[in-house]
Amino acid sequence: MVVSKRAVLWTEMVVDETIKFTNDLDHHLGQSPKDLRPIICQIGGRNPEWIGEATEIVEKYGFNEVNLNIDCPSNRVSGKRQFGAILMKQKERASVLVATMSSNVKNVPISVKTRVGIELDDGECLDTFEHLVGFISLLRDRGCRKFIMHARKCVIGGLTPAQNRLVPPLNYPRVYDLCNEFPDCEFIINGGIPGLKVAKEICCGKVQDRIESAALMDNNKQCGHEGQSQHIVPCKLCGASNGSCTVSPLVAPNNLKGSMLGRACIENPAMFWDVDRYFYGEAHNPCTTRREALEKYCLYLEKIYPRRCCDVDKRKTNRLPAPETEKISLGGCEICKKNYGASQSLFPPESKEIRISSIVIDRSLKPVFGIFFGKRKGNQFRRELNRLSRDKAVRNCGPAYMIRKAVQIMPQDALEEAFVKTENLNESDVSVHVSPS
């Protein structure tokens, strides 16, 4: 990875049916080269046979873990196709899927990503700690020892997927209680975590001194959230408009092993420059400036999605791996020659034949749209990058060229300024996703 060697990456959910029946597995599972590891592949489905086969295939592709999605609330997934979050209601089916996954892996772990509760479109609400304990217990007994807990209930039918990531109140204390209930399982908490500082405080606890922590535990104080009787959902102490309770534990449970950040990664990817040092205790981080991070990312893109403006191959780049083409020279066309040097291209830029798909462009640019979060001209960078992504005249010059071109509008100080250490960030430097604004 560009900004971290320790952070764990995830794929988007890949449906078991797709893995089983596709004629091009590389398109769906080819994103696990060594420089992206550790990486987890998330699969979804409800057919035990297909889930089992998909699990086996994913492991062969070199992923470090196979995760089952019992979290997606969309009508298409949990409604029409009856997998994802709806499996919290259908716990017997969920347990069969987990057992099948467990029996089909050899050397990698399996895990489940799920929610702390579910509210169904018929009004039934399974949003109690007792129901959650019963659900996790059943999956644990069938071979799963790791759970990624989205600390919100899921509302099926009443909310869109986007609303389901924001409207239902967060319930961090329920995750802490779940850790204490299952000391032989590992848990990762997800939902509304704004940045590394909060993520570390959740995982390590407010009291990080070992002697003080031991004293608190010896005195039978809560190894979970502070002030258990007051911090309940809806929570008046945390002050969120939807009643979210996001209190960090006073002493973190030993089996709360990590925090999962999703939207924060998209909105402000620059914060992750400090993951290795701040969160994992490494001496150094891979990058120290935005220029360095963007340059490394462009080199990576040029490797996996090379320019197609200077070859005569008619195949299209719309997936991984990209076609291996014979370049006319190492230079660029009339459009990108300032970046790559001049080349006598046999594929003139005015040609309307597009050889790099919009899917590749969008996938490549999405991680860097927010790289200048909070910086002067940061919004201009986003707009310029978006404009270039839609400009078919530069499409074949590749996503790396688009980033290099968009960077030219940024002030030098924004590019060369050293990243700010996590402990020195201001509140305005971190976006929050706890409740609707």
Side-chain angles (χ1 to χ4, degrees), residues 41-335:
C41 181
Q42 184 180 81
I43 63 175
R46 64 175 287 108
N47 184 306
E49 179 185 349
W50 296 355
I51 281 287
E53 291 185 36
T55 301
E56 187 175 351
I57 292 169
V58 166
E59 181 178 10
K60 289 179 179 178
Y61 259 79
F63 287 90
N64 301 98
E65 183 175 312
V66 189
N67 177 267
L68 178 64
N69 183 308
I70 308 184
D71 178 36
C72 181
S74 76
N75 289 333
R76 184 169 180 266
V77 171
S78 280
K80 181 179 180 181
R81 303 194 66 180
Q82 291 289 290
F83 66 95
I86 195 65
L87 291 172
M88 289 193 72
K89 164 72 172 176
Q90 303 170 9
K91 55 185 181 181
E92 291 296 336
R93 174 54 66 98
S95 70
V96 172
L97 297 176
V98 166
T100 303
M101 292 176 66
S102 182
S103 63
N104 277 272
V105 292
K106 295 180 180 179
N107 299 308
V108 299
I110 65 165
S111 61
V112 168
K113 186 173 188 292
T114 188
R115 300 242 181 173
V116 297
I118 183 171
E119 183 177 324
L120 303 168
D121 52 5
D122 61 4
E124 183 179 10
C125 189
L126 304 173
D127 186 25
T128 65
F129 185 65
E130 292 71 26
H131 175 267
L132 184 59
V133 167
F135 181 64
I136 297 298
S137 180
L138 191 59
L139 302 187
R140 171 189 169 278
D141 292 345
R142 302 307 291 270
C144 183
R145 292 292 192 277
K146 182 176 180 182
F147 299 91
I148 295 81
M149 302 303 304
H150 189 158
R152 288 184 172 96
K153 73 177 179 181
C154 175
V155 180
I156 302 293
L159 298 175
T160 66
Q163 291 170 329
N164 259 301
R165 293 191 295 267
L166 193 63
V167 174
L170 289 161
N171 194 340
Y172 289 2
R174 184 172 289 180
V175 178
Y176 309 147
D177 292 341
L178 200 62
C179 292
N180 295 327
E181 187 75 22
F182 297 96
D184 60 339
C185 295
E186 292 185 8
F187 293 90
I188 309 292
I189 190 169
N190 169 235
I193 302 170
L196 299 184
K197 187 175 182 179
V198 173
K200 185 176 181 179
E201 186 178 87
I202 289 172
C203 293
C204 298
K206 290 184 177 180
V207 179
Q208 297 180 22
D209 180 86
R210 292 185 178 181
I211 297 177
E212 187 177 353
S213 297
L216 288 171
M217 294 178 70
D218 288 342
N219 291 328
N220 295 319
K221 292 192 176 182
Q222 172 70 18
C223 182
H225 52 287
E226 180 182 10
Q228 184 178 18
S229 60
Q230 287 80 34
H231 278 285
I232 57 176
V233 176
C235 184
K236 296 181 180 180
L237 297 179
C238 288
S241 63
N242 63 347
S244 287
C245 185
T246 56
V247 63
S248 298
L250 192 62
V251 180
N254 290 328
N255 55 340
L256 182 57
K257 296 297 186 179
S259 298
M260 183 180 190
L261 284 71
R263 280 169 293 164
C265 183
I266 296 300
E267 291 196 6
N268 185 11
M271 75 166 68
F272 290 88
W273 84 277
D274 205 17
V275 166
D276 292 6
R277 181 198 70 89
Y278 184 78
F279 200 89
Y280 290 101
E282 299 287 346
H284 305 285
N285 294 306
C287 299
T288 59
T289 68
R290 287 172 176 81
R291 182 186 293 281
E292 184 181 2
L294 288 170
E295 177 61 24
K296 287 184 177 181
Y297 186 56
C298 284
L299 292 174
Y300 169 73
L301 289 177
E302 286 161 353
K303 177 182 176 182
I304 65 168
Y305 294 128
R307 292 175 294 111
R308 299 298 312 280
C309 55
C310 295
D311 66 67
V312 293
D313 195 312
K314 293 187 177 297
R315 292 175 296 172
K316 292 186 177 181
T317 299
N318 56 13
R319 62 192 66 185
L320 284 172
E324 293 186 9
T325 61
E326 183 178 349
K327 295 291 187 297
I328 303 308
S329 79
L330 296 178
C333 67
E334 285 298 314
I335 293 176

Side-chain angles (χ1 to χ4, degrees), residues 24-33 36 61 300-301 303-306 316-323 357 359-360 363-364:
D24 192 355
L25 274 171
D26 285 347
H27 177 50
H28 302 282
L29 301 179
Q31 64 270 52
S32 62
L36 290 184
Y61 259 79
Y300 169 73
L301 289 177
K303 177 182 176 182
I304 65 168
Y305 294 128
K316 292 186 177 181
T317 299
N318 56 13
R319 62 192 66 185
L320 284 172
S357 73
I359 295 176
V360 166
R363 175 185 291 174
S364 301

Side-chain angles (χ1 to χ4, degrees), residues 315-386:
R315 292 175 296 172
K316 292 186 177 181
T317 299
N318 56 13
R319 62 192 66 185
L320 284 172
E324 293 186 9
T325 61
E326 183 178 349
K327 295 291 187 297
I328 303 308
S329 79
L330 296 178
C333 67
E334 285 298 314
I335 293 176
C336 61
K337 65 182 181 181
K338 288 184 179 180
N339 294 87
Y340 301 108
S343 168
Q344 188 176 357
S345 173
L346 297 184
F347 184 50
E350 62 270 14
S351 171
K352 295 182 180 180
E353 185 178 357
I354 301 299
R355 298 190 178 182
I356 300 181
S357 73
S358 60
I359 295 176
V360 166
I361 299 300
D362 293 342
R363 175 185 291 174
S364 301
L365 300 186
K366 186 176 181 180
V368 297
F369 270 109
I371 190 72
F372 294 101
F373 178 89
K375 295 298 178 183
R376 182 166 62 95
K377 289 193 174 183
N379 288 334
Q380 287 182 244
F381 173 81
R382 292 177 66 100
R383 289 193 294 270
E384 177 65 5
L385 201 57
N386 184 65

Side-chain angles (χ1 to χ4, degrees), residues 417-434:
E417 179 186 21
F419 286 122
V420 179
K421 290 184 176 180
T422 301
E423 58 267 33
N424 297 330
L425 288 173
N426 299 317
E427 288 188 8
S428 60
D429 296 323
V430 181
S431 56
V432 179
H433 307 283
V434 172

